[in-house]
Amino acid sequence: MLASKEMMKFKSYQNRANLFVKEYLLADPLIPYTSIIGGIFACKMVYDLTQLFSTVHFKSYSSLTRIQRVEWNNRSMSTIHAIFITTMSLYLVFCSNLYSDNQSSELITFRSSSSSTFALGVSVGYFIADLGMIFWFFPSLGGHEYVIHHLLSLVAVAFSMLSGEGQLYTYMVLISETTTPGINLRWYLDAAGMKKSKAYLINGVVIFIAWLVARILLFVYMFYHVYLHFDQIEQMHAFGQVLVIVVPLALSVMNLIWFSKIIKGLRKTLAKRQ
């Protein structure tokens, strides 16, 4: 009898929690704000948990300098965000029917959903948190190119989230975050003194392939998609039109510059192996 009452109480609290999440936290007008706040808090939580976990389980962590430990924790934060937003982007762009040409009469540039807006809000929260850290520790966590990259990404993602316009192209660009875990793993291997290991070499090859697919070829596909649907893009807000064209172009230039550095680094690693 007592167990039954406790179960009923638990179900009552569970129903209230579900109702709160559905009617308040995930209510359409509040999604942009709750998701941004959630993204910032998630970053803080991952940062703190990484610090706690690494102190206990990684001997090399304690031997790092203060700024290296900050970067260690920061890269864990960016890795979790990359996994989340890449998964959401791949699902929304290639698996769901939200942006399918054959599923809706609504213009593809104006389609959005609660889940797509929520995911963009979490990403905005991450870019705010990460940009804040970059400024605070500048230039230890990244130079001017990182600031430019994050500012462009923040403006584009925030506009798409708030207006509901051009979300398809925002997600196409965000798929490029799939390269982030590999880049961060490379830094971890270097920090752990494993630069001469086989894992470091394999990591370099994987980064090369992932970068080529996600940051070069995918951008080419996106520009082709923009060309095919340019009549729909012209009906977006003028600022949105600029973002759809200018931001991917700017990021493409940066991706090509970084790709050349990746090739040089991979060649150097392979040369040392021979």
Side-chain angles (χ1 to χ4, degrees):
M1 187 73 175
L2 185 63
S4 178
K5 286 183 178 180
E6 290 297 324
M7 183 61 69
M8 288 177 66
K9 282 184 179 180
F10 174 76
K11 287 185 177 180
S12 176
Y13 284 123
Q14 188 180 40
N15 291 334
R16 289 179 187 177
N18 290 336
L19 188 65
F20 176 76
V21 170
K22 185 177 180 180
E23 294 192 359
Y24 292 95
L25 295 183
L26 294 182
D28 285 344
L30 297 177
I31 283 177
Y33 311 104
T34 56
S35 58
I36 291 173
I37 294 171
I40 294 173
F41 272 100
C43 287
K44 172 63 176 171
M45 183 181 68
V46 171
Y47 185 95
D48 290 342
L49 288 175
T50 300
Q51 185 176 31
L52 182 64
F53 182 84
S54 300
T55 302
V56 176
H57 295 282
F58 291 98
K59 294 180 180 180
S60 57
Y61 182 80
S62 57
S63 63
L64 299 174
T65 64
R66 175 177 172 272
I67 196 63
Q68 284 179 321
R69 290 197 295 271
V70 168
E71 186 166 0
W72 179 294
N73 302 334
N74 176 269
R75 286 182 179 272
S76 175
M77 192 174 79
S78 70
T79 297
I80 297 300
H81 166 260
I83 293 172
F84 167 76
I85 201 62
T86 298
T87 302
M88 289 298 299
S89 299
L90 288 171
Y91 169 74
L92 290 169
V93 174
F94 297 112
C95 300
S96 75
N97 293 322
L98 181 60
Y99 305 116
S100 173
D101 283 323
N102 303 320
Q103 293 297 321
S104 174
S105 58
E106 185 181 11
L107 296 180
I108 203 168
T109 48
F110 290 92
R111 295 185 204 170
S112 63
S113 67
S114 297
S115 58
S116 68
T117 301
F118 179 83
L120 290 178
V122 172
S123 198
V124 168
Y126 160 74
F127 282 119
I128 290 174
D130 201 38
L131 196 58
M133 291 193 67
I134 290 174
F135 280 130
W136 186 263
F137 295 101
F138 190 83
S140 300
L141 297 182
H144 293 95
E145 69 276 13
Y146 281 88
V147 174
I148 294 171
H149 173 274
H150 275 42
L151 283 175
L152 287 173
S153 300
L154 177 59
V155 172
V157 175
F159 174 84
S160 185
M161 174 197 64
L162 293 171
S163 68
E165 296 185 11
Q167 288 195 2
L168 169 62
Y169 299 115
T170 302
Y171 276 115
M172 281 187 177
V173 172
L174 285 171
I175 291 174
S176 63
E177 285 293 311
T178 191
T179 60
T180 299
I183 295 292
N184 288 340
L185 177 59
R186 193 167 188 80
W187 186 91
Y188 286 130
L189 291 171
D190 189 8
M194 299 176 64
K195 215 169 182 179
K196 295 182 180 180
S197 66
K198 189 175 181 180
Y200 192 83
L201 176 62
I202 295 172
N203 173 264
V205 175
V206 171
I207 288 175
F208 170 81
I209 297 172
W211 199 281
L212 178 63
V213 174
R215 290 186 180 260
I216 306 298
L217 298 180
L218 183 62
F219 273 66
V220 173
Y221 170 75
M222 194 203 75
F223 288 129
Y224 177 66
H225 196 282
V226 167
Y227 169 75
L228 292 179
H229 298 82
F230 197 73
D231 59 323
Q232 298 186 37
I233 293 172
E234 287 181 316
Q235 298 188 49
M236 292 173 60
H237 188 279
F239 186 63
Q241 294 181 41
V242 172
L243 290 177
V244 167
I245 304 300
V246 173
V247 172
L249 278 174
L251 293 178
S252 293
V253 172
M254 298 174 74
N255 287 339
L256 288 171
I257 293 172
W258 284 329
F259 191 53
S260 66
K261 293 180 180 180
I262 290 171
I263 293 174
K264 288 179 182 178
L266 185 59
R267 282 179 176 175
K268 189 180 293 184
T269 302
L270 291 172
K272 289 179 180 179
R273 289 270 171 176
Q274 293 176 352

